[in-house]
Amino acid sequence: MSANPSYLNELKQTGDFLTLSRDNEWHLDAAEFVLDNGTRVNIHDTGVIEFQPAVKTSKDVVYSSAIHGNETAPIEICDALIKQIIKGELILKQRVLFIYGNPQSINIGLRFVEENLNRLFNGHHTVEGVPMNNERNRAAKLEQYVSDFYTRGEQGSSRCHYDLHTAIRGSKNEKFAVYPFLHGKPWKKSQLQFLLSCGVNTVLMMKSPATTFSYYSSFIHGADSFTVELGQVKPFGQNDMARFEKTKQTLTALISQNEVKYPEFNANDFELFAVHRTINRTQHDFSFPFSDDAENFTGFAKGELLATDGDTAIYADVEGEAIIFPNASVALGQRALLTVIPMDIDSNFI
Ligand SMILES: O=C(O)CCC(=O)N[C@@H](CCC(=O)O)C(=O)O
Ligand SMILES: [Zn+2]
């Protein structure tokens, strides 16, 4: 760590860690300082800033955004929170690590630069015979920052990670979350209540491991972790921030209160879906029969065409199979589509 990086004075005054990160796309010298209210601020790298309040804490919270650089609403929410904290306007009761995943992709306004960061976690950044690139290095570093953050937490603290995104397409259910595969462990009603408070009433239950950031922190660190889709991708300045107010308030409450009370769980408040299958693009010639404005959660009748992968036609195999994240331009071998079917709240919830 350099003794006193030249950026510190300005950061202390403006709280503008987003601009600082965008100005230093892949590296920023580490630094630390203490706010007047006693909160310790640790800048670990570009896009990675930790706040440790002086009081004893019970939660270790990670908020990530810009894992995809063009998903701007979550970046704006985190930018506002970080500024409030640095300016002393928001007093923390819990430790929190903010991550802007891919600052260069924010600057170019694209999902990624060379490779989709959210396909590189859980060790997939480092594969024998595959050359490293900036995104692979970044995924490896982000894993380490999260790991160090949780390791330094108070004994017995609960861990959570909300990886904030917006979807490429419009969605019939505007806000939804992906609950990573828990390997048979029960899903938590308290987490669904948190999501509901954020304005997210729709949750997709994954049934297999993934290369995503949320699966990494769930599987490796036992965190209550979710990919949270907050709406549709829009350029900076075009987000209707009123649509994110509940989310922002709930994220704020989680880090600024000792304990947040949510209303009692009621299954009728939620729409839950089980992930039915993942369809990967295996051929250059890959297409969907539906238009680019077909929304997430559009259901298909059994036997209807869902996708064509080279010579293989893929049909809906259950009535109402619904599409999530269709993207025919993904790299070969990657997920081009998830499908989901409605699910009941069963005994695997605590
Ligand atoms: O709208 C889309 O096609 C993609 C939106 C997005 O980035 N979603 C995440 C979901 C991650 C998960 O499955 O948990 C992604 O594709 O990485
Ligand atoms: Zn995304």
Side-chain angles (χ1 to χ4, degrees):
M1 191 181 307
S2 56
N4 191 2
S6 54
Y7 64 74
L8 265 193
N9 279 343
E10 196 177 338
L11 178 65
K12 286 177 192 174
Q13 271 163 27
T14 63
D16 194 349
F17 186 61
L18 176 58
T19 299
L20 182 62
S21 299
R22 293 182 64 173
D23 288 346
N24 295 271
E25 292 179 330
W26 297 106
H27 174 79
L28 182 66
D29 282 343
E32 63 177 65
F33 60 98
V34 179
L35 301 178
D36 289 345
N37 60 34
T39 294
R40 177 167 294 280
V41 184
N42 274 88
I43 293 133
H44 295 292
D45 196 348
T46 186
V48 185
I49 188 165
E50 173 181 342
F51 299 97
Q52 162 89 55
V55 294
K56 188 169 162 54
T57 58
S58 59
K59 295 185 184 76
D60 301 324
V61 179
V62 178
Y63 292 151
S64 52
S65 62
I67 293 301
H68 296 129
N70 60 342
E71 299 176 4
T72 58
I75 302 171
E76 292 191 47
I77 294 171
C78 292
D79 175 45
L81 293 181
I82 291 170
K83 281 183 176 141
Q84 278 180 285
I85 297 168
I86 294 180
K87 290 179 175 175
E89 296 161 5
L90 177 63
I91 312 289
L92 295 179
K93 291 281 172 49
Q94 308 295 349
R95 299 175 71 228
V96 56
L97 180 72
F98 286 89
I99 295 174
Y100 297 125
N102 193 335
Q104 186 171 71
S105 76
I106 304 176
N107 287 343
I108 61 175
L110 293 175
R111 193 163 164 76
F112 55 84
V113 183
E114 280 183 77
E115 249 189 292
N116 185 345
L117 192 55
N118 219 16
R119 300 296 175 270
L120 296 174
F121 290 99
N122 214 31
H124 289 259
H125 42 76
T126 310
V127 179
E128 214 183 308
V130 178
M132 294 300 280
N133 57 31
N134 283 327
E135 268 129 348
R136 285 176 178 267
N137 284 322
R138 182 73 171 163
K141 287 184 191 171
L142 293 184
E143 286 187 357
Q144 196 57 53
Y145 295 130
V146 169
S147 184
D148 293 346
F149 174 72
Y150 284 139
T151 307
R152 281 185 275 98
E154 302 262 358
Q155 187 82 25
S157 270
S158 62
R159 297 173 173 180
C160 58
H161 175 192
Y162 303 104
D163 184 29
L164 309 173
H165 290 244
T166 48
I168 298 169
R169 291 175 184 247
S171 301
K172 287 187 189 301
N173 299 30
E174 187 197 46
K175 293 184 172 57
F176 57 99
V178 178
Y179 210 142
F181 180 47
L182 295 184
H183 299 260
K185 284 190 290 177
W187 297 298
K188 292 188 183 168
K189 291 177 182 172
S190 56
Q191 286 298 313
L192 297 197
Q193 289 306 105
F194 165 84
L195 291 170
L196 191 64
S197 174
C198 286
V200 178
N201 77 334
T202 301
V203 186
L204 319 183
M205 308 314 201
M206 292 292 285
K207 61 178 186 188
S208 56
T211 57
T212 58
F213 205 11
S214 62
Y215 176 78
Y216 163 77
S217 45
S218 167
F219 180 62
I220 299 293
H221 300 294
D224 293 315
S225 185
F226 295 84
T227 308
V228 190
E229 302 286 346
L230 293 173
Q232 190 174 8
V233 163
K234 298 252 186 316
F236 281 118
Q238 290 184 27
N239 294 303
D240 173 2
M241 292 315 281
R243 302 190 87 81
F244 305 100
E245 202 42 48
K246 279 184 87 171
T247 308
K248 193 173 158 202
Q249 276 173 14
T250 304
L251 297 177
T252 303
L254 188 69
I255 55 178
S256 61
Q257 295 184 20
N258 288 323
E259 212 50 62
V260 188
K261 290 267 174 283
Y262 303 109
E264 205 168 310
F265 179 80
N266 178 351
N268 294 329
D269 290 336
F270 295 94
E271 276 196 68
L272 300 189
F273 292 85
V275 172
H276 179 62
R277 58 177 156 163
T278 300
I279 294 169
N280 289 342
R281 177 188 186 192
T282 71
Q283 306 295 319
H284 280 285
D285 184 14
F286 184 99
S287 63
F288 295 117
F290 44 82
S291 66
D292 282 349
D293 53 16
E295 293 183 307
N296 291 315
F297 297 97
T298 301
F300 285 72
K302 185 174 176 182
E304 256 187 291
L305 184 66
L306 286 179
T308 306
D309 185 26
D311 293 336
T312 308
I314 300 162
Y315 299 98
D317 58 15
V318 288
E319 191 60 31
E321 191 170 352
I323 54 169
I324 306 287
F325 302 142
N327 184 348
S329 328
V330 295
L332 283 187
Q334 289 196 354
R335 170 173 98 191
L337 174 67
L338 276 182
T339 69
V340 295
I341 47 178
M343 179 187 133
D344 287 332
I345 305 235
D346 63 13
S347 54
N348 208 20
F349 280 84
I350 52 167

